[in-house]
Amino acid sequence: MKLLKNFVRTSAALAVIACGLLWGAITTSYNSIAESYYVTSNSDLGFGGFISAAGSSVPISSADDAKIKTELKLFGVFPIKTVTVSKIDVKRVVPGGIPFGIKMLSNGVLVTETGFIQCGNTAVCPAKDAGIKASDVIVSINGKKMQSNSDVIKTVASSGGKALEVLLKKSGGETRLVKITPVKDSFDDTYKIGVWVRDSSAGIGTVTFYDPESELFAGLGHAVCDSTTGEIISVSEGKVVGAQIDGVTASRDGSPGQLNGHFATVGSTGSILKNDETGVYGQLSQVKVVGDSVEVALKQEVKTGKATILTTLNGLEPEEYEIEIEKISLNADRATKNMVVKITDKRLLEKAGGIVQGMSGSPILQNGKLVGAVTHVFVNDCTRGYGIFAENMLESAQSVYKKAS
């Protein structure tokens, strides 16, 4: 009887442990699986192992021009998550790795700071009193579009102290119309509202890929943001100019380095059509991206292990360097931080110390496919950084093509 009781107790304990492990496996699998996937005619979800789709395979033939849902199961028995699957054609692009210059004008004028104006013995800030904050965009004043810093300064200065109707675009995207009465600055006798503004941005980045079919390029792997507010700059006019890398300031842990370069052309060599979370997208007219085309990997095809990046540390020609993909997150909250990469190539470590600023957009290649691009460096370990899935950048590029066509 005592042996039976011990057996029952042990069995019950093992059952509890097994249930806990099973629940942990289901929870971990649920959190690591994305809500939606693309597949092609010669690919599937590619999970393998213990996770499979209902019916053992995704019904790809029924996914033409439509989305279908399929249930993923652990060990083919325990339901984990229902995901959306869409069929797409295999896409080929030319990997970049070359530098390009960026010159952008924003849609409206970005408020970077508010400040007080001395009026006699009183310091006031009409902009702050009206609810204007840093990262707001001044779209128009009295119905006139504001396209530059000088537009705002001239319009306010010529107001004569009369109330102005200012149309704002807030950081959340909503618009708001406010009334502001300028005051005369005692120091220079000029009407002001108490804002510092910025209308443009410039810099050097790396081309990720060029699509010969649409003649569009993708670069950076993350948005161009205002250096003061951190807000994504909404593009009204963006130009691509030729750029050349003169050398590199090496990274040290705690101090990321940077590519040092200059604009190699005076006029425009292309245009930027979109600046969003996943990168910048546009057309190239003179900057050439050469090389053989490769397939764009779907996110479920990216694996941990060896890979390479293309990047330019001097001049105009990119070189290929070895890296390791250490971690993949299919269900990442941020569209630009889908994988963790580590620089392993001794040449790149000696020259740059790891990842440096300006390297963003450098294409990541694995098993003959474009799998992503470098986006961020880890400040405390510059040999490591984040990468974005190429699939995410391709999706943004194709939305630009559809809008333009």
Side-chain angles (χ1 to χ4, degrees), residues 80-111:
I80 301 174
K81 179 183 283 189
T82 298
V83 299
T84 301
V85 181
S86 303
K87 184 180 177 182
I88 59 172
D89 295 328
V90 174
K91 184 65 179 178
R92 298 185 69 89
V93 298
V94 180
I98 63 172
F100 71 106
I102 306 167
K103 291 184 177 180
M104 291 172 44
L105 290 176
S106 59
N107 276 320
V109 179
L110 182 71
V111 176

PDB file of all heavy atoms in Angstrom, residues 80-111:
ATOM      1  N   ILE A  80      -1.240  26.195 -30.810  1.00  0.00           N
ATOM      2  CA  ILE A  80      -0.398  27.286 -30.310  1.00  0.00           C
ATOM      3  C   ILE A  80      -0.966  28.638 -30.727  1.00  0.00           C
ATOM      4  O   ILE A  80      -1.263  29.491 -29.909  1.00  0.00           O
ATOM      5  CB  ILE A  80       1.044  27.165 -30.853  1.00  0.00           C
ATOM      6  CG1 ILE A  80       1.671  25.851 -30.442  1.00  0.00           C
ATOM      7  CG2 ILE A  80       1.891  28.347 -30.364  1.00  0.00           C
ATOM      8  CD1 ILE A  80       3.035  25.609 -31.069  1.00  0.00           C
ATOM      9  N   LYS A  81      -1.115  28.811 -32.029  1.00  0.00           N
ATOM     10  CA  LYS A  81      -1.550  30.115 -32.541  1.00  0.00           C
ATOM     11  C   LYS A  81      -2.099  29.948 -33.950  1.00  0.00           C
ATOM     12  O   LYS A  81      -1.604  29.137 -34.727  1.00  0.00           O
ATOM     13  CB  LYS A  81      -0.377  31.101 -32.556  1.00  0.00           C
ATOM     14  CG  LYS A  81      -0.720  32.481 -33.096  1.00  0.00           C
ATOM     15  CD  LYS A  81       0.500  33.391 -33.164  1.00  0.00           C
ATOM     16  CE  LYS A  81       0.862  33.928 -31.800  1.00  0.00           C
ATOM     17  NZ  LYS A  81       1.923  34.994 -31.901  1.00  0.00           N
ATOM     18  N   THR A  82      -3.103  30.749 -34.274  1.00  0.00           N
ATOM     19  CA  THR A  82      -3.613  30.819 -35.641  1.00  0.00           C
ATOM     20  C   THR A  82      -2.955  32.009 -36.331  1.00  0.00           C
ATOM     21  O   THR A  82      -3.000  33.131 -35.823  1.00  0.00           O
ATOM     22  CB  THR A  82      -5.138  30.985 -35.664  1.00  0.00           C
ATOM     23  OG1 THR A  82      -5.740  29.836 -35.050  1.00  0.00           O
ATOM     24  CG2 THR A  82      -5.658  31.107 -37.095  1.00  0.00           C
ATOM     25  N   VAL A  83      -2.302  31.751 -37.475  1.00  0.00           N
ATOM     26  CA  VAL A  83      -1.567  32.801 -38.178  1.00  0.00           C
ATOM     27  C   VAL A  83      -2.171  33.026 -39.565  1.00  0.00           C
ATOM     28  O   VAL A  83      -2.847  32.166 -40.117  1.00  0.00           O
ATOM     29  CB  VAL A  83      -0.073  32.441 -38.313  1.00  0.00           C
ATOM     30  CG1 VAL A  83       0.556  32.296 -36.938  1.00  0.00           C
ATOM     31  CG2 VAL A  83       0.117  31.169 -39.132  1.00  0.00           C
ATOM     32  N   THR A  84      -1.915  34.221 -40.101  1.00  0.00           N
ATOM     33  CA  THR A  84      -2.361  34.567 -41.443  1.00  0.00           C
ATOM     34  C   THR A  84      -1.237  34.311 -42.433  1.00  0.00           C
ATOM     35  O   THR A  84      -0.087  34.680 -42.184  1.00  0.00           O
ATOM     36  CB  THR A  84      -2.764  36.051 -41.517  1.00  0.00           C
ATOM     37  OG1 THR A  84      -3.802  36.298 -40.574  1.00  0.00           O
ATOM     38  CG2 THR A  84      -3.255  36.412 -42.904  1.00  0.00           C
ATOM     39  N   VAL A  85      -1.552  33.672 -43.543  1.00  0.00           N
ATOM     40  CA  VAL A  85      -0.557  33.322 -44.552  1.00  0.00           C
ATOM     41  C   VAL A  85      -0.966  33.912 -45.898  1.00  0.00           C
ATOM     42  O   VAL A  85      -2.126  33.803 -46.312  1.00  0.00           O
ATOM     43  CB  VAL A  85      -0.406  31.787 -44.685  1.00  0.00           C
ATOM     44  CG1 VAL A  85       0.656  31.445 -45.722  1.00  0.00           C
ATOM     45  CG2 VAL A  85      -0.053  31.175 -43.339  1.00  0.00           C
ATOM     46  N   SER A  86      -0.023  34.571 -46.567  1.00  0.00           N
ATOM     47  CA  SER A  86      -0.279  35.142 -47.889  1.00  0.00           C
ATOM     48  C   SER A  86       0.768  34.615 -48.860  1.00  0.00           C
ATOM     49  O   SER A  86       1.948  34.502 -48.518  1.00  0.00           O
ATOM     50  CB  SER A  86      -0.190  36.674 -47.850  1.00  0.00           C
ATOM     51  OG  SER A  86      -1.090  37.205 -46.909  1.00  0.00           O
ATOM     52  N   LYS A  87       0.341  34.316 -50.068  1.00  0.00           N
ATOM     53  CA  LYS A  87       1.268  33.836 -51.082  1.00  0.00           C
ATOM     54  C   LYS A  87       1.783  35.008 -51.907  1.00  0.00           C
ATOM     55  O   LYS A  87       1.021  35.878 -52.309  1.00  0.00           O
ATOM     56  CB  LYS A  87       0.589  32.818 -51.991  1.00  0.00           C
ATOM     57  CG  LYS A  87       1.540  32.209 -53.020  1.00  0.00           C
ATOM     58  CD  LYS A  87       0.824  31.201 -53.901  1.00  0.00           C
ATOM     59  CE  LYS A  87       1.781  30.656 -54.959  1.00  0.00           C
ATOM     60  NZ  LYS A  87       1.107  29.709 -55.876  1.00  0.00           N
ATOM     61  N   ILE A  88       3.108  35.038 -52.137  1.00  0.00           N
ATOM     62  CA  ILE A  88       3.714  36.073 -52.970  1.00  0.00           C
ATOM     63  C   ILE A  88       4.672  35.424 -53.958  1.00  0.00           C
ATOM     64  O   ILE A  88       5.053  34.264 -53.806  1.00  0.00           O
ATOM     65  CB  ILE A  88       4.491  37.115 -52.127  1.00  0.00           C
ATOM     66  CG1 ILE A  88       5.596  36.439 -51.322  1.00  0.00           C
ATOM     67  CG2 ILE A  88       3.545  37.896 -51.228  1.00  0.00           C
ATOM     68  CD1 ILE A  88       6.528  37.407 -50.628  1.00  0.00           C
ATOM     69  N   ASP A  89       5.051  36.189 -54.977  1.00  0.00           N
ATOM     70  CA  ASP A  89       6.039  35.707 -55.935  1.00  0.00           C
ATOM     71  C   ASP A  89       7.441  35.856 -55.356  1.00  0.00           C
ATOM     72  O   ASP A  89       7.701  36.731 -54.522  1.00  0.00           O
ATOM     73  CB  ASP A  89       5.954  36.500 -57.243  1.00  0.00           C
ATOM     74  CG  ASP A  89       4.629  36.277 -57.966  1.00  0.00           C
ATOM     75  OD1 ASP A  89       4.087  35.159 -57.845  1.00  0.00           O
ATOM     76  OD2 ASP A  89       4.154  37.221 -58.631  1.00  0.00           O
ATOM     77  N   VAL A  90       8.337  35.010 -55.794  1.00  0.00           N
ATOM     78  CA  VAL A  90       9.746  35.130 -55.400  1.00  0.00           C
ATOM     79  C   VAL A  90      10.280  36.461 -55.926  1.00  0.00           C
ATOM     80  O   VAL A  90      10.059  36.825 -57.077  1.00  0.00           O
ATOM     81  CB  VAL A  90      10.582  33.970 -55.969  1.00  0.00           C
ATOM     82  CG1 VAL A  90      12.061  34.184 -55.683  1.00  0.00           C
ATOM     83  CG2 VAL A  90      10.114  32.638 -55.392  1.00  0.00           C
ATOM     84  N   LYS A  91      10.955  37.213 -55.074  1.00  0.00           N
ATOM     85  CA  LYS A  91      11.459  38.529 -55.462  1.00  0.00           C
ATOM     86  C   LYS A  91      12.982  38.531 -55.460  1.00  0.00           C
ATOM     87  O   LYS A  91      13.612  38.041 -54.514  1.00  0.00           O
ATOM     88  CB  LYS A  91      10.943  39.601 -54.486  1.00  0.00           C
ATOM     89  CG  LYS A  91      11.326  41.016 -54.867  1.00  0.00           C
ATOM     90  CD  LYS A  91      10.688  41.443 -56.171  1.00  0.00           C
ATOM     91  CE  LYS A  91      11.055  42.860 -56.543  1.00  0.00           C
ATOM     92  NZ  LYS A  91      10.471  43.262 -57.830  1.00  0.00           N
ATOM     93  N   ARG A  92      13.567  39.112 -56.525  1.00  0.00           N
ATOM     94  CA  ARG A  92      15.014  39.222 -56.631  1.00  0.00           C
ATOM     95  C   ARG A  92      15.409  40.703 -56.661  1.00  0.00           C
ATOM     96  O   ARG A  92      14.761  41.519 -57.324  1.00  0.00           O
ATOM     97  CB  ARG A  92      15.534  38.531 -57.895  1.00  0.00           C
ATOM     98  CG  ARG A  92      15.242  37.026 -57.936  1.00  0.00           C
ATOM     99  CD  ARG A  92      15.887  36.390 -59.154  1.00  0.00           C
ATOM    100  NE  ARG A  92      17.343  36.366 -59.048  1.00  0.00           N
ATOM    101  CZ  ARG A  92      18.035  35.381 -58.494  1.00  0.00           C
ATOM    102  NH1 ARG A  92      17.406  34.334 -57.965  1.00  0.00           N
ATOM    103  NH2 ARG A  92      19.361  35.431 -58.450  1.00  0.00           N
ATOM    104  N   VAL A  93      16.471  41.043 -55.952  1.00  0.00           N
ATOM    105  CA  VAL A  93      16.982  42.410 -55.904  1.00  0.00           C
ATOM    106  C   VAL A  93      18.507  42.364 -55.963  1.00  0.00           C
ATOM    107  O   VAL A  93      19.114  41.310 -55.777  1.00  0.00           O
ATOM    108  CB  VAL A  93      16.540  43.158 -54.628  1.00  0.00           C
ATOM    109  CG1 VAL A  93      15.028  43.288 -54.573  1.00  0.00           C
ATOM    110  CG2 VAL A  93      17.070  42.458 -53.383  1.00  0.00           C
ATOM    111  N   VAL A  94      19.116  43.527 -56.206  1.00  0.00           N
ATOM    112  CA  VAL A  94      20.577  43.635 -56.215  1.00  0.00           C
ATOM    113  C   VAL A  94      21.026  44.193 -54.868  1.00  0.00           C
ATOM    114  O   VAL A  94      20.647  45.309 -54.503  1.00  0.00           O
ATOM    115  CB  VAL A  94      21.063  44.558 -57.348  1.00  0.00           C
ATOM    116  CG1 VAL A  94      22.585  44.661 -57.327  1.00  0.00           C
ATOM    117  CG2 VAL A  94      20.581  44.045 -58.704  1.00  0.00           C
ATOM    118  N   PRO A  95      21.815  43.443 -54.084  1.00  0.00           N
ATOM    119  CA  PRO A  95      22.286  43.960 -52.796  1.00  0.00           C
ATOM    120  C   PRO A  95      23.159  45.199 -52.987  1.00  0.00           C
ATOM    121  O   PRO A  95      23.878  45.321 -53.990  1.00  0.00           O
ATOM    122  CB  PRO A  95      23.114  42.800 -52.233  1.00  0.00           C
ATOM    123  CG  PRO A  95      22.649  41.589 -52.974  1.00  0.00           C
ATOM    124  CD  PRO A  95      22.283  42.071 -54.340  1.00  0.00           C
ATOM    125  N   GLY A  96      23.091  46.130 -52.023  1.00  0.00           N
ATOM    126  CA  GLY A  96      23.827  47.379 -52.122  1.00  0.00           C
ATOM    127  C   GLY A  96      25.148  47.339 -51.379  1.00  0.00           C
ATOM    128  O   GLY A  96      26.107  46.728 -51.801  1.00  0.00           O
ATOM    129  N   GLY A  97      25.179  48.055 -50.231  1.00  0.00           N
ATOM    130  CA  GLY A  97      26.415  48.167 -49.473  1.00  0.00           C
ATOM    131  C   GLY A  97      27.200  49.416 -49.806  1.00  0.00           C
ATOM    132  O   GLY A  97      28.239  49.686 -49.207  1.00  0.00           O
ATOM    133  N   ILE A  98      26.709  50.210 -50.779  1.00  0.00           N
ATOM    134  CA  ILE A  98      27.406  51.434 -51.172  1.00  0.00           C
ATOM    135  C   ILE A  98      26.841  52.621 -50.393  1.00  0.00           C
ATOM    136  O   ILE A  98      25.687  52.620 -49.973  1.00  0.00           O
ATOM    137  CB  ILE A  98      27.278  51.701 -52.690  1.00  0.00           C
ATOM    138  CG1 ILE A  98      25.811  51.926 -53.085  1.00  0.00           C
ATOM    139  CG2 ILE A  98      27.872  50.545 -53.481  1.00  0.00           C
ATOM    140  CD1 ILE A  98      25.632  52.383 -54.515  1.00  0.00           C
ATOM    141  N   PRO A  99      27.639  53.683 -50.202  1.00  0.00           N
ATOM    142  CA  PRO A  99      27.146  54.860 -49.470  1.00  0.00           C
ATOM    143  C   PRO A  99      26.291  55.752 -50.359  1.00  0.00           C
ATOM    144  O   PRO A  99      26.442  55.761 -51.584  1.00  0.00           O
ATOM    145  CB  PRO A  99      28.444  55.575 -49.081  1.00  0.00           C
ATOM    146  CG  PRO A  99      29.408  55.214 -50.164  1.00  0.00           C
ATOM    147  CD  PRO A  99      29.070  53.796 -50.564  1.00  0.00           C
ATOM    148  N   PHE A 100      25.381  56.492 -49.738  1.00  0.00           N
ATOM    149  CA  PHE A 100      24.616  57.505 -50.462  1.00  0.00           C
ATOM    150  C   PHE A 100      24.339  58.673 -49.525  1.00  0.00           C
ATOM    151  O   PHE A 100      24.245  58.510 -48.307  1.00  0.00           O
ATOM    152  CB  PHE A 100      23.308  56.933 -51.025  1.00  0.00           C
ATOM    153  CG  PHE A 100      22.250  56.626 -49.998  1.00  0.00           C
ATOM    154  CD1 PHE A 100      21.130  57.432 -49.857  1.00  0.00           C
ATOM    155  CD2 PHE A 100      22.360  55.504 -49.174  1.00  0.00           C
ATOM    156  CE1 PHE A 100      20.149  57.140 -48.919  1.00  0.00           C
ATOM    157  CE2 PHE A 100      21.380  55.208 -48.236  1.00  0.00           C
ATOM    158  CZ  PHE A 100      20.269  56.033 -48.115  1.00  0.00           C
ATOM    159  N   GLY A 101      24.237  59.860 -50.102  1.00  0.00           N
ATOM    160  CA  GLY A 101      23.959  61.056 -49.324  1.00  0.00           C
ATOM    161  C   GLY A 101      22.480  61.354 -49.290  1.00  0.00           C
ATOM    162  O   GLY A 101      21.745  61.078 -50.249  1.00  0.00           O
ATOM    163  N   ILE A 102      22.010  61.909 -48.178  1.00  0.00           N
ATOM    164  CA  ILE A 102      20.600  62.203 -47.963  1.00  0.00           C
ATOM    165  C   ILE A 102      20.422  63.692 -47.683  1.00  0.00           C
ATOM    166  O   ILE A 102      21.100  64.250 -46.821  1.00  0.00           O
ATOM    167  CB  ILE A 102      20.035  61.415 -46.759  1.00  0.00           C
ATOM    168  CG1 ILE A 102      20.292  59.917 -46.919  1.00  0.00           C
ATOM    169  CG2 ILE A 102      18.550  61.693 -46.566  1.00  0.00           C
ATOM    170  CD1 ILE A 102      20.056  59.131 -45.639  1.00  0.00           C
ATOM    171  N   LYS A 103      19.528  64.335 -48.423  1.00  0.00           N
ATOM    172  CA  LYS A 103      19.122  65.706 -48.132  1.00  0.00           C
ATOM    173  C   LYS A 103      17.604  65.734 -48.123  1.00  0.00           C
ATOM    174  O   LYS A 103      16.969  65.374 -49.114  1.00  0.00           O
ATOM    175  CB  LYS A 103      19.654  66.683 -49.186  1.00  0.00           C
ATOM    176  CG  LYS A 103      21.157  66.875 -49.157  1.00  0.00           C
ATOM    177  CD  LYS A 103      21.600  67.933 -50.172  1.00  0.00           C
ATOM    178  CE  LYS A 103      23.095  68.183 -50.095  1.00  0.00           C
ATOM    179  NZ  LYS A 103      23.536  69.215 -51.075  1.00  0.00           N
ATOM    180  N   MET A 104      17.014  66.109 -47.000  1.00  0.00           N
ATOM    181  CA  MET A 104      15.561  66.041 -46.861  1.00  0.00           C
ATOM    182  C   MET A 104      14.982  67.339 -46.345  1.00  0.00           C
ATOM    183  O   MET A 104      15.535  67.979 -45.458  1.00  0.00           O
ATOM    184  CB  MET A 104      15.174  64.898 -45.906  1.00  0.00           C
ATOM    185  CG  MET A 104      15.443  63.526 -46.472  1.00  0.00           C
ATOM    186  SD  MET A 104      15.215  62.168 -45.272  1.00  0.00           S
ATOM    187  CE  MET A 104      13.710  62.633 -44.480  1.00  0.00           C
ATOM    188  N   LEU A 105      13.838  67.734 -46.958  1.00  0.00           N
ATOM    189  CA  LEU A 105      13.015  68.814 -46.429  1.00  0.00           C
ATOM    190  C   LEU A 105      11.758  68.189 -45.852  1.00  0.00           C
ATOM    191  O   LEU A 105      11.185  67.280 -46.442  1.00  0.00           O
ATOM    192  CB  LEU A 105      12.651  69.819 -47.523  1.00  0.00           C
ATOM    193  CG  LEU A 105      13.790  70.690 -48.054  1.00  0.00           C
ATOM    194  CD1 LEU A 105      13.293  71.557 -49.207  1.00  0.00           C
ATOM    195  CD2 LEU A 105      14.354  71.568 -46.952  1.00  0.00           C
ATOM    196  N   SER A 106      11.315  68.678 -44.699  1.00  0.00           N
ATOM    197  CA  SER A 106      10.166  68.070 -44.029  1.00  0.00           C
ATOM    198  C   SER A 106       8.854  68.672 -44.505  1.00  0.00           C
ATOM    199  O   SER A 106       8.810  69.758 -45.076  1.00  0.00           O
ATOM    200  CB  SER A 106      10.288  68.252 -42.509  1.00  0.00           C
ATOM    201  OG  SER A 106      10.349  69.623 -42.184  1.00  0.00           O
ATOM    202  N   ASN A 107       7.767  67.937 -44.258  1.00  0.00           N
ATOM    203  CA  ASN A 107       6.412  68.441 -44.499  1.00  0.00           C
ATOM    204  C   ASN A 107       6.049  69.370 -43.359  1.00  0.00           C
ATOM    205  O   ASN A 107       5.614  68.933 -42.307  1.00  0.00           O
ATOM    206  CB  ASN A 107       5.400  67.272 -44.562  1.00  0.00           C
ATOM    207  CG  ASN A 107       5.339  66.646 -45.936  1.00  0.00           C
ATOM    208  OD1 ASN A 107       5.381  67.349 -46.926  1.00  0.00           O
ATOM    209  ND2 ASN A 107       5.256  65.330 -45.980  1.00  0.00           N
ATOM    210  N   GLY A 108       6.244  70.663 -43.564  1.00  0.00           N
ATOM    211  CA  GLY A 108       6.064  71.593 -42.473  1.00  0.00           C
ATOM    212  C   GLY A 108       7.393  71.850 -41.789  1.00  0.00           C
ATOM    213  O   GLY A 108       8.455  71.431 -42.259  1.00  0.00           O
ATOM    214  N   VAL A 109       7.352  72.547 -40.672  1.00  0.00           N
ATOM    215  CA  VAL A 109       8.567  72.936 -39.960  1.00  0.00           C
ATOM    216  C   VAL A 109       8.510  72.360 -38.547  1.00  0.00           C
ATOM    217  O   VAL A 109       7.540  72.585 -37.817  1.00  0.00           O
ATOM    218  CB  VAL A 109       8.710  74.474 -39.918  1.00  0.00           C
ATOM    219  CG1 VAL A 109       9.959  74.874 -39.168  1.00  0.00           C
ATOM    220  CG2 VAL A 109       8.741  75.039 -41.336  1.00  0.00           C
ATOM    221  N   LEU A 110       9.530  71.629 -38.179  1.00  0.00           N
ATOM    222  CA  LEU A 110       9.552  70.921 -36.901  1.00  0.00           C
ATOM    223  C   LEU A 110       9.957  71.855 -35.767  1.00  0.00           C
ATOM    224  O   LEU A 110      10.955  72.560 -35.853  1.00  0.00           O
ATOM    225  CB  LEU A 110      10.531  69.755 -36.976  1.00  0.00           C
ATOM    226  CG  LEU A 110      10.651  68.881 -35.732  1.00  0.00           C
ATOM    227  CD1 LEU A 110       9.408  68.044 -35.545  1.00  0.00           C
ATOM    228  CD2 LEU A 110      11.885  67.994 -35.829  1.00  0.00           C
ATOM    229  N   VAL A 111       9.161  71.837 -34.694  1.00  0.00           N
ATOM    230  CA  VAL A 111       9.501  72.595 -33.485  1.00  0.00           C
ATOM    231  C   VAL A 111      10.476  71.754 -32.662  1.00  0.00           C
ATOM    232  O   VAL A 111      10.157  70.642 -32.246  1.00  0.00           O
ATOM    233  CB  VAL A 111       8.241  72.919 -32.650  1.00  0.00           C
ATOM    234  CG1 VAL A 111       8.636  73.634 -31.347  1.00  0.00           C
ATOM    235  CG2 VAL A 111       7.267  73.771 -33.446  1.00  0.00           C
TER     236      VAL A 111
END
